Every structure is written in structure tokens, then in C-alpha cells.
């Protein structure tokens, strides 16, 4: 554990169960205004006690993240930008500056050390048991226990490419784990090489050590580039790796725990369900299996874990670091991009806000297409582009007002492309609709102002044509394009209801349909709606615009299984309350984030 993080750690000494209790408390902590890192010193599993503490919310808040990186995030982005834009030096002072930058590149090269703290204890054969680790079951409907902060190290069949990615790992038994590397990810590509050659693939999982390793494992580096190089660049020193005991992979020498083994590409096993970072469960599906051959640890290891589920959670702070640091790299494919933001309640890839300096008509569309074709950016489902004169991207209130005042339905682009493997709403798995809205080209038609009725009157009028409409709430009624959210009883599809109400064009501009409870909760409304849309099926551009953010079923022609929401277990919350462990957050906030 980094010394600089000690002031941010709250120790919980009360014995708490690795099944639901520890993760539920960390979940609630992450929803506070200033969350802390939690260290659970007495984890138990029923009667079984563990002597390894569980550390959660290690990326607790923005200040902690800056401590972990050791530098301001924008400063790191600037260093990367300077490196990318480096030109041949002419004067002596330029040469000295260039030398400094090249020296920073030298730091990226990993150094193999002879021994590492992570191999103080070595367990092999019968002694290497996953049940000796305090691995968590986060959610009630999870298919079992999962390692949630594992850095998964692999390499290509010919050894020329090394990779680390953070993928969750399901525990099947003492010796076997499910490897949830999704189909688009680098390790999945490497896995196919072994599968084709019918050879066993070495895999090692490092947990803990310097938390920067963990973030690097999540970083969307281009395929073929070993993420630990980014670690070296940020830390300003060569990453120290040590060779594993039972395979020839290398892992961080300071890791707390290392699980070594291999994966036989012929073997697949059902993985899931798992309460995921979309706030929905990911459904059961076969994934490759890892066999454990050795477990090594530090003298006194800790076990890092994270909770994913409905936002905001720890991944908000990890994702923000990624967003800042990757801006200069994104600019290499979209040079006129000024800035971007991926709000956590848009589950990152469900909503991106971009500010650009457009130079010609269709410039935003050009960038949209390029984003939808680049690495993990291609998972983005909804992109909104604004011009230079727009408010700050994170000033959401004013930004939305600007968008609604300048929006023209002519500047909507609906396309088709790949979607994240976790996406549950696309018509077919892995491929779905993409929505791009270009506000950088302002609305040319003068929108007649809408005649705004109050919510009660509007509800009454809408119910007179469609009794399945149960509630109405209007937002941003002072803009040219107010948004009306309609809650309906799903005995018909939203499309059928839209057809009935689209004549209300004096009173309505943009209508969003939901069949869940977020009508008065804009933060969770964004979460729900951006999750649930496949733009090809759910966005209707007529005299008014209709957006179907409801949970889909056969009424919508949806033939896949719709997953359940990720929710807490009430008995566990009650127990944590009784133990006096839920403090520093109001009931109102807990309800807002759907904890209660
Ligand atoms: C908390 C958290 C959990 C994640 N879990 C998974 C996962 O189970 N499977 C997966 O493919 N990606 C997961 N990711 C995303 C990957 O870590 C990320 O896409 C990374 O860039 C993958 O590395 P790769 O490009 O080297 O494959 C997770 C990210 C975070 C922040």
C-alpha cells in the first residue's frame, strides 16, 4: 500500500462477511460526497476467518487518484501530448528538452528483477487454494465469488506481445477460475492464437501492489502495446517485474498476491451472472477457464477488490483518469477535438460529450465515424458534439440547456456498429445502433416556442388518448426543445404510445418513455435511458422526437433475455445499519442512488 494513501483509509474492524456484507458497505461508501478507501481487517466467510485484509475503493475520490498518479492528470496528458507532437530539435535548449522527453520513454521499458516481494510466500500443488483468499460475492444474484481487481497478464503465442488487462474472474473451485475477457479485448485476441495452435496459454493474475498497476490494466492502450509501459512513463522509473514461479510470464514485483496457471483453449465454462458496471447483471455465457498452479504472496498481503453496479462507484474516478490521460491520444485521430467527457451515469461508453472546433460542414459526423472505428471508443453508443462556444462539458445543467436550445433533428446521425459485449439492449448481441447528435452546426430553423402545460394538465390530456400513461415530468421547459419524460405501463410498446401522442406537437418536442422509477431523478434517468436504447430501434424522428428508454421485451420485438437490475439485498443493509456502519450519507441520497 502506498504510504501517501494512509490518511485516506478507514479501517473497519467489525468482522464482516465476504459474501455481500463487505461489498455492500463499500458500495454505500462510494456513493458519499467524499468517499474513503475502506480496509476490512476481519473478513470472514461464515465461520471461516481470513488473515488477509480486504481493501476496497482504492481509487476512492479525485484527491486519492491524484495521490496514486503522483501528478495532476492534465499534467500527465500534457506530457503525453508533448511527446506525440515532438519535432526534431534545432537549438541547444530544444535539444536538452528533447533529451528529457526521450529519457521519459526510456523509463517505460520493463526491468526484470531476480526476486520480488510478491514471492515471499509460495504455495504450490495442494497448498495453492483459492479458498484461502478473501474473495467476494458482491451481489445476491452473482453466480458465485469473483476476483474484481485482478491484473491479468498474458502474452502472444510467439512471446513477442505482452498484455495486461483487468477482467473479472469467477471462482469455480479451489483450482479453477473463469476468465471474463470480452471478445473485443486484447487477451481474447491472444487467446485465439493459442486456440488455433491448440496449445495451453499461460496466465498470471496479480492483485494489489502499487495501485497504479491496477489502473494501467484498465487503460485502453492499442493492441500490441504492453500497458506496464504506461506505468513506467507515469512513475518516471522502469516498471519492476519478476518472473512467475510456474510459468514464464512476468508480474509486478510488489504485487500483494499472484495467482499463476494456464488456460486450456479447448475448455469453456459458463460464467455469470454478475452484477456489472452497467447497473444490470450480465447474463450467463461460456468463457475460458484458468487452472491454478501456484499462488504467491507478500509477507503481509492485502486483497484489493472493487464493486461495480449502479453509478456512482469507484470506476467513476478510474474512468476520469482514463478520460484525461487519453485525450491527447484521441486527438491523434480527431485533431479538431478540443475536449470530451464521459459521465459515469452514462456508464462511460453509453454517452460521450465532445467539444470540437468545426472547420467544415459534417466535421462532427466525420469525427463520430472515426470514434466509432477506434479501439474501445467504438463501444460508444451515444455521442453529442458541441462547438467551441458551448459551456464547459462538465457543467451539465448549462450544457444541456445549450444543447436543447441549438438542437436540430436534421443533425442527428443514426448508424450501426459494434457495441460493448455487456450491452444488453442492442437487437443482436455485439452489434447495435449508434446515435450521434451534432450541435456544433446550429439549428437553422426558428423553433416556434412550445406551449408548455403544467405536468398535471399535460398528463390529463395524454391520458385521454392513452390510459397506459401513468406519469409525466417535463424538464428544461425554458428551452426551445423541452424534454418530457413519460412513465407508462408496459402493456403496449412505447412505439405504439408514441404514435398516439405525436399529434401533441404544440406541447411536446422530445419525449422519453420509461417504465421504471426514475421520472423525478435526472441522474438515474440518464443512466437508465442511455443503457436501454438501441438507436436503430428506439429513436423516432417525426414532428416530435420519441426515445424509448424502457426495459425491452417481446412487445418491442426483443428476443434476447433482458437482465435484472443490480440491487442491494435489504437484509444485508439492515444488518449493516444495526451494526452502526452506515454513516455519513442521508436516506434521501441512498434512495436517489437506488440503494434503498
Ligand atoms: C472495474 C472494472 C472491471 C472490468 N471488468 C472487465 C471484465 O470483466 N472483462 C473485460 O473484458 N473488461 C473489463 N474491464 C475493462 C478492461 O479492463 C479494459 O477494457 C481494458 O482496457 C482491457 O485491457 P486490454 O485492452 O488489454 O484487453 C473492466 C474495467 C473496470 C474498470
Amino acid at each position: 500500500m502506498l504510504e501517501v494513501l494512509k490518511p485516506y483509509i478507514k479501517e473497519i474492524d467489525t468482522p464482516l462477511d465476504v459474501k455481500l456484507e463487505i461489498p455492500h458497505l463499500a458500495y454505500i461508501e462510494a456513493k458519499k460526497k467524499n468517499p474513503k478507501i475502506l480496509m476490512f481487517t476481519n473478513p470472514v466467510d461464515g465461520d471461516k476467518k481470513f488473515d488477509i485484509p480486504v481493501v476496497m475503493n482504492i481509487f476512492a475520490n479525485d484527491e486519492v487518484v491524484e495521490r496514486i498518479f503522483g501528478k495532476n492528470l492534465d499534467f500527465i496528458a500534457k506530457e503525453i501530448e508533448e511527446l506525440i507532437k515532438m519535432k526534431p530539435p534545432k537549438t541547444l535548449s530544444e535539444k536538452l528538452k528533447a533529451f528529457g522527453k526521450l529519457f521519459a520513454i526510456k523509463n517505460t521499458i520493463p526491468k526484470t528483477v531476480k526476486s520480488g516481494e510478491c514471492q515471499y510466500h509460495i504455495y504450490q500443488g495442494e497448498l495453492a487454494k483459492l479458498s484461502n483468499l478473501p474473495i467476494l460475492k458482491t451481489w445476491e444474484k452473482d453466480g458465485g465469488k469473483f476476483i474484481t481487481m485482478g491484473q491479468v497478464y498474458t502474452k502472444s503465442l510467439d512471446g513477442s506481445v505482452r498484455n495486461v488487462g483487468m477482467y473479472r474472474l469467477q471462482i469455480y473451485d479451489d483450482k479453477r477460475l473463469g476468465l471474463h475477457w470480452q471478445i473485443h479485448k486484447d487477451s481474447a485476441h491472444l487467446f485465439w492464437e493459442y486456440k488455433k495452435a491448440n496449445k495451453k496459454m499461460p496466465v498470471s493474475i496479480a492483485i494489489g501492489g502499487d495501485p497504479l498497476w491496477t489502473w494501467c490494466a484498465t487503460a485502453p492502450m492499442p493492441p500490441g502495446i504492453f500497458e506496464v509501459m504506461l506505468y513506467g512513463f507515469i512513475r518516471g522509473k522502469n516498471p519492476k517485474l519478476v518472473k512467475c514461479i510456474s510459468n514464464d510470464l512476468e508480474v509486478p514485483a510488489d504485487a500483494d498476491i499472484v495467482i499463476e496457471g494456464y488456460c486450456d483453449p479447448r475448455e469453456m465454462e459458463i460464467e455469470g451472472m454478475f452484477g456489472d458496471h452497467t447497473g444490470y447483471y450480465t447474463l450467463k455465457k461460456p468463457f475460458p477457464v484458468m487452472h491454478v498452479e501456484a499462488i504467491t504472496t507478500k509477507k503481509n498481503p492485502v486483497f484489493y477488490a472493487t464493486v461495480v453496479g449502479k453509478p456512482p462507484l469507484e470506476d467513476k474516478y478510474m474512468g476520469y483518469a482514463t478520460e484525461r490521460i487519453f485525450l491527447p491520444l484521441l486527438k491523434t485521430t480527431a485533431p479538431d477535438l478540443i475536449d470530451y467527457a464521459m459521465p459515469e451515469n452514462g456508464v462511460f461508453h453509453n454517452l460521450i460529450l465532445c467539444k470540437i472546433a468545426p472547420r467544415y460542414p459534417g466535421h462532427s459526423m466525420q469525427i463520430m465515424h472515426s470514434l466509432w472505428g477506434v479501439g474501445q471508443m467504438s463501444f460508444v453508443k451515444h455521442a453529442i458534439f458541441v462547438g467551441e462556444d458551448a459551456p464547459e462539458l462538465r457543467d451539465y445543467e448549462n450544457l444541456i440547456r445549450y444543447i436543447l436550445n441549438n438542437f436540430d433533428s436534421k443533425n442527428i446521425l443514426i448508424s450501426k456498429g459494434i457495441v460493448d459485449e455487456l450491452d444488453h439492449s442492442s437487437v443482436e448481441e455485439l452489434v447495435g445502433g449508434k446515435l450521434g447528435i451534432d450541435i456544433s452546426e446550429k439549428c437553422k430553423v426558428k423553433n416556434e416556442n412550445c406551449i408548455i402545460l403544467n405536468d398535471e394538465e399535460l398528463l390529463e390530456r395524454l391520458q385521454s388518448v392513452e390510459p397506459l400513461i401513468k406519469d409525466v415530468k417535463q424538464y428544461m421547459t425554458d428551452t426551445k426543445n423541452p424534454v418530457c419524460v413519460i412513465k407508462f405501463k408496459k402493456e403496449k410498446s412505447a412505439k405504439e404510445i408514441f404514435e398516439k401522442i405525436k399529434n401533441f406537437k404544440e406541447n411536446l418536442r422530445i419525449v422519453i418513455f420509461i417504465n421504471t422509477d426514475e421520472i423525478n431523478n435526472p441522474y438515474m434517468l440518464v443512466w437508465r435511458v442511455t443503457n436501454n436504447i438501441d438507436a436503430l430501434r428506439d429513436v423516432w424522428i417525426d414532428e416530435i422526437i420519441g426515445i424509448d428508454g424502457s426495459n425491452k421485451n417481446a412487445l418491442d420485438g426483443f428476443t434476447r433475455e433482458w437482465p435484472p437490475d443490480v440491487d442491494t439485498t435489504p437484509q444485508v443493509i439492515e444488518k449493516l445499519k444495526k451494526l452502526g456502519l452506515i454513516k455519513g450519507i442521508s436516506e434521501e441520497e441512498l434512495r436517489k442512488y437506488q440503494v434503498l
Side-chain angles (χ1 to χ4, degrees):
M1 177 72 67
L2 295 180
E3 201 58 36
V4 288
L5 297 184
K6 297 230 160 112
Y8 301 92
I9 299 174
K10 187 157 102 192
E11 278 194 19
I12 312 278
D13 297 329
T14 315
L16 286 179
D17 208 294
V18 291
K19 294 208 277 317
L20 308 186
E21 291 177 1
I22 289 179
H24 273 46
L25 198 59
Y27 184 63
I28 291 170
E29 182 68 26
K31 304 211 177 281
K32 293 184 186 170
K33 291 211 167 62
N34 192 21
K36 292 247 176 203
I37 300 170
L38 297 185
M39 162 107 73
F40 296 90
T41 52
N42 286 304
V44 299
D45 180 357
D47 295 338
K48 182 176 173 155
K49 291 182 181 160
F50 297 96
D51 51 10
I52 301 177
V54 176
V55 175
M56 301 201 67
N57 292 341
I58 190 89
F59 294 88
N61 58 48
D62 289 326
E63 201 177 314
V64 166
V65 167
E66 198 157 315
R67 289 294 170 119
I68 290 174
F69 281 79
K71 294 175 203 174
N72 175 276
L73 299 174
D74 291 323
F75 179 77
I76 299 171
K78 196 160 168 280
E79 284 182 320
I80 295 176
E81 185 159 28
E82 281 176 5
L83 208 60
I84 295 168
K85 289 188 174 162
M86 211 164 105
K87 295 201 176 72
K90 288 187 190 118
T91 64
L92 179 65
S93 79
E94 278 178 5
K95 278 182 188 157
L96 288 171
K97 227 171 146 191
F99 181 74
K101 286 179 196 158
L102 291 174
F103 198 76
I105 297 182
K106 183 191 140 290
N107 290 331
T108 62
I109 298 163
K111 201 169 165 180
T112 309
V113 292
K114 284 209 178 78
S115 66
E117 297 165 68
C118 67
Q119 292 172 347
Y120 185 90
H121 296 293
I122 297 173
Y123 307 98
Q124 284 175 290
E126 280 309 299
L127 295 176
K129 282 179 167 177
L130 291 168
S131 58
N132 287 340
L133 302 175
I135 301 170
L136 311 179
K137 176 175 173 175
T138 313
W139 301 110
E140 198 176 307
K141 298 192 178 82
D142 281 359
K145 291 181 175 178
F146 288 80
I147 295 173
T148 49
M149 265 201 164
Q151 311 151 35
V152 181
Y153 289 82
T154 52
K155 63 175 181 173
S156 61
L157 187 59
D158 66 4
S160 64
V161 172
R162 289 195 274 179
N163 190 65
V164 56
M166 188 162 122
Y167 320 113
R168 68 168 185 251
L169 307 145
Q170 181 167 358
I171 311 303
Y172 293 132
D173 54 45
D174 255 341
K175 291 283 181 189
R176 292 179 325 122
L177 288 156
L179 294 161
H180 184 259
W181 48 52
Q182 294 151 12
I183 193 162
H184 303 116
K185 303 299 171 74
D186 292 349
S187 298
H189 302 321
L190 301 179
F191 172 78
W192 281 104
E193 295 180 5
Y194 289 86
K195 194 169 170 70
K196 259 197 276 172
N198 200 16
K199 290 216 161 116
K200 284 182 183 166
M201 176 181 190
V203 181
S204 288
I205 299 156
I207 299 164
D210 181 345
L212 188 61
W213 298 114
T214 300
W215 176 81
C216 286
T218 69
M221 292 296 273
I225 302 183
F226 194 19
E227 289 78 0
V228 305
M229 295 175 76
L230 191 55
Y231 176 96
F233 182 81
I234 296 169
R235 276 281 172 268
K237 56 180 187 197
N238 300 90
K240 281 191 191 151
L241 303 181
V242 67
K243 197 185 129 340
C244 289
I245 302 290
S246 65
N247 64 31
D248 58 359
L249 293 167
E250 291 180 341
V251 289
D254 70 339
D256 280 82
I257 298 164
V258 181
I259 303 166
E260 305 178 359
Y262 66 88
C263 144
D264 181 339
R266 287 168 304 185
E267 198 183 347
M268 302 284 271
E269 192 156 324
I270 292 294
E271 198 267 1
M273 292 203 303
F274 178 75
D276 222 311
H277 84 116
T278 56
Y280 283 87
Y281 279 85
T282 37
L283 300 170
K284 291 179 183 173
K285 198 174 160 176
F287 274 88
V289 179
M290 172 180 172
H291 291 261
V292 177
E293 296 210 297
I295 296 179
T296 74
T297 76
K298 264 182 179 163
K299 188 172 180 196
N300 295 307
V302 295
F303 180 82
Y304 286 14
T306 189
V307 187
V308 291
K310 292 182 183 176
L313 289 173
E314 180 178 15
D315 58 356
K316 163 181 171 179
Y317 305 101
M318 300 174 83
Y320 182 65
T322 309
E323 181 198 290
R324 292 299 86 203
I325 292 172
F326 276 76
L327 176 61
L329 295 169
L330 207 56
K331 280 185 178 177
T332 59
T333 46
D336 294 297
L337 182 71
I338 299 170
D339 200 2
Y340 75 124
M342 301 181 90
E344 80 284 353
N345 54 333
V347 192
F348 311 107
H349 43 75
N350 285 344
L351 180 64
I352 184 174
L353 307 166
C354 296
K355 191 179 265 195
I356 69 156
R359 285 189 291 112
Y360 37 78
H363 200 161
S364 293
M365 310 269 176
Q366 185 188 31
I367 301 180
M368 283 175 205
H369 284 296
S370 94
L371 292 186
W372 289 333
V374 179
Q376 295 186 36
M377 268 294 162
S378 50
F379 303 151
V380 167
K381 287 208 294 182
H382 311 114
I384 303 180
F385 280 69
V386 295
E388 281 170 289
D389 62 332
E392 274 300 302
L393 293 179
R394 287 184 182 273
D395 177 2
Y396 296 135
E397 173 87 18
N398 285 317
L399 185 76
I400 296 170
R401 184 160 281 113
Y402 170 95
I403 292 171
L404 295 173
N405 274 327
N406 293 296
F407 164 81
D408 184 340
S409 60
K410 286 197 193 73
N411 294 330
I412 291 182
L413 170 71
I414 297 182
S415 178
K416 191 172 179 179
I418 67 156
V419 291
D420 194 294
E421 190 163 0
L422 301 182
D423 189 89
H424 58 269
S425 64
S426 55
V427 177
E428 49 183 312
E429 208 190 342
L430 302 170
V431 175
K434 304 278 190 184
L435 178 74
I437 304 178
D438 181 8
I439 313 285
S440 74
E441 284 180 38
K442 303 266 166 46
C443 180
K444 293 195 181 67
V445 282
K446 265 201 174 165
N447 262 347
E448 293 296 323
N449 275 341
C450 228
I451 303 164
I452 300 293
L453 306 176
N454 66 40
D455 288 348
E456 292 74 32
E457 199 181 340
L458 181 62
L459 177 62
E460 220 171 275
R461 291 208 194 171
L462 295 175
Q463 282 181 329
S464 69
V465 294
E466 180 48 79
L468 289 176
I469 294 179
K470 293 297 162 202
D471 204 356
V472 155
K473 164 95 182 161
Q474 296 171 93
Y475 289 95
M476 297 275 164
T477 47
D478 57 340
T479 65
K480 288 186 192 165
N481 291 287
V483 176
C484 172
V485 184
I486 293 181
K487 183 175 176 185
F488 71 109
K489 195 165 177 211
K490 197 147 181 168
E491 288 174 4
K492 281 183 189 161
S493 70
K495 181 79 204 279
E496 284 174 89
I497 296 177
F498 178 71
E499 291 302 326
K500 281 188 152 179
I501 63 160
K502 70 183 190 195
N503 296 333
F504 284 80
K505 47 185 184 257
E506 305 91 55
N507 310 116
L508 299 171
R509 284 277 183 272
I510 299 173
V511 181
I512 298 178
F513 294 90
I514 56 169
N515 63 341
T516 45
D517 287 327
E518 292 83 15
I519 196 159
N520 295 310
N521 182 348
Y523 181 88
M524 294 308 288
L525 187 68
V526 170
W527 163 77
R528 177 75 73 186
V529 173
T530 56
N531 246 318
N532 281 2
I533 305 175
D534 177 325
L536 282 166
R537 178 194 56 216
D538 301 327
V539 177
W540 315 301
I541 304 165
D542 211 301
E543 283 186 274
I544 63 171
I545 291 180
I547 299 171
D548 183 5
S550 68
N551 289 349
K552 304 296 179 305
N553 62 26
L555 292 170
D556 310 289
F558 188 82
T559 51
R560 297 165 62 196
E561 187 182 343
W562 190 264
D565 270 29
V566 178
D567 285 320
T568 52
T569 302
Q571 301 86 308
V572 175
I573 300 289
E574 271 316 302
K575 177 170 175 190
L576 295 173
K577 269 189 189 166
K578 275 200 190 124
L579 289 168
L581 293 171
I582 302 184
K583 286 185 256 182
I585 184 160
S586 66
E587 293 264 317
E588 194 189 340
E589 279 171 299
L590 290 175
R591 262 190 294 277
K592 170 180 167 184
Y593 296 126
Q594 305 186 346
V595 176
L596 300 179

